[in-house]
Amino acid sequence: VHGSLEDRITFPSLVNRSYFEILGINYNYHEASGTVGGPVYLPKIYNGKNRTFFFFGVQEHYGEIYESVTSVVPSQAMLNGDFSFGGKGFPIYDPASTRQNASGTWIRDPFPGNQVPQARYDPVARNLIAMHPWKDPNVPGVITPSGPDQNLLVERFGGYYFTRYDAKIDHQFSPAHRIFGRYSQFRDRSPSRESAELTAREFDSSILIPVDMRNVVFSDTYSLNPTTINEFRLAFSRRHSTRLPETYGGGYAQKLGIPNVSPLTFPQFAPTYSNLAPGGENYQVSQSFTVQDNLTKVVGHNTFKAGYEMIRSSLNS
């Protein structure tokens, strides 16, 4: 019987801050694994020495990081309709003033002072702003004709939680004939890195998406003679993931004043702040089944190989 144990750990105190990491960095990393293998032995029933062997391995990956992020959010002046940006702002034209002049050219009048009257706000936009989805600016940033930039400095969280399993059985009928079977599983429970700009997870599209992947393989290898070997293999793999936003079933379309939209989803807003897009529930399964046979023939100094492979894949989303 053979085995192994391994543990890798990184403490936050051992991680040096990079030059641009203004807020510092907090990083936890822990990865433990173990394996065991040997002959299958069942007291008074079966002794698989030199014939039947087992192997099992497991690995747990745990990581968390808090990193400083410089980003951009709308200022309070923008939310109030003021896009003058200290006189630097690009002109904003009133679409209600669209008309043709004497020469036939289409023209519009700019909003005085680049100030959009709040009375012109769509009720949905007004309701969204009232929910306070964006964090308030906390650093001066840079003012451009398009608005402020780099006016938010925050710490963002990201997590990595993986678990892996492998189990395998090998059996030798004779020196010329052997088989094996293997089962592998990968489990992912990592939350995506949260959006730095948003005030609550209910607005965030970066949410936990649990993923499970499974793989099963059976292989039969037979040496027909010293120069001819055949391998037959069956395999099955499956990937399953789900996504359930915190807004699911919350009736946010109705809260925002959007008619004829299911209460099970959150409307998507684009393009500038399109991260306000948690959407609705998502379920996805993909799988494949493989049948394969390979024949190898050695003739003198030459090796010839022939075979076939059939794969049937399916996806349900």
Side-chain angles (χ1 to χ4, degrees), residues 27-30 61-65 157-162 190-191:
Y27 181 62
N28 290 301
Y29 169 76
H30 187 193
H61 180 125
Y62 175 89
E64 288 186 339
I65 184 170
F157 167 77
Y160 307 91
Y161 312 122
F162 307 132
S190 305

Side-chain angles (χ1 to χ4, degrees), residues 43-62:
K44 299 181 181 181
I45 298 177
Y46 182 74
N47 187 350
K49 185 178 181 181
N50 299 328
R51 180 178 293 268
T52 307
F53 305 90
F54 75 93
F55 174 84
F56 179 77
V58 61
Q59 183 181 58
E60 184 77 22
H61 180 125
Y62 175 89

Side-chain angles (χ1 to χ4, degrees), residues 66-88:
Y66 295 85
E67 59 185 355
S68 60
V69 175
T70 301
S71 187
V72 57
V73 289
S75 65
Q76 189 59 49
M78 295 170 63
L79 298 177
N80 293 334
D82 184 358
F83 297 90
S84 60
F85 308 133
K88 297 181 179 180

Side-chain angles (χ1 to χ4, degrees), residues 235-238 285-291 309-316:
F236 175 77
S237 63
R238 175 182 173 91
V285 176
S286 60
Q287 60 186 30
S288 64
F289 182 76
T290 304
V291 180
E309 182 180 48
M310 180 184 71
I311 303 176
R312 176 177 175 83
S313 301
S314 61
L315 171 67
N316 179 27

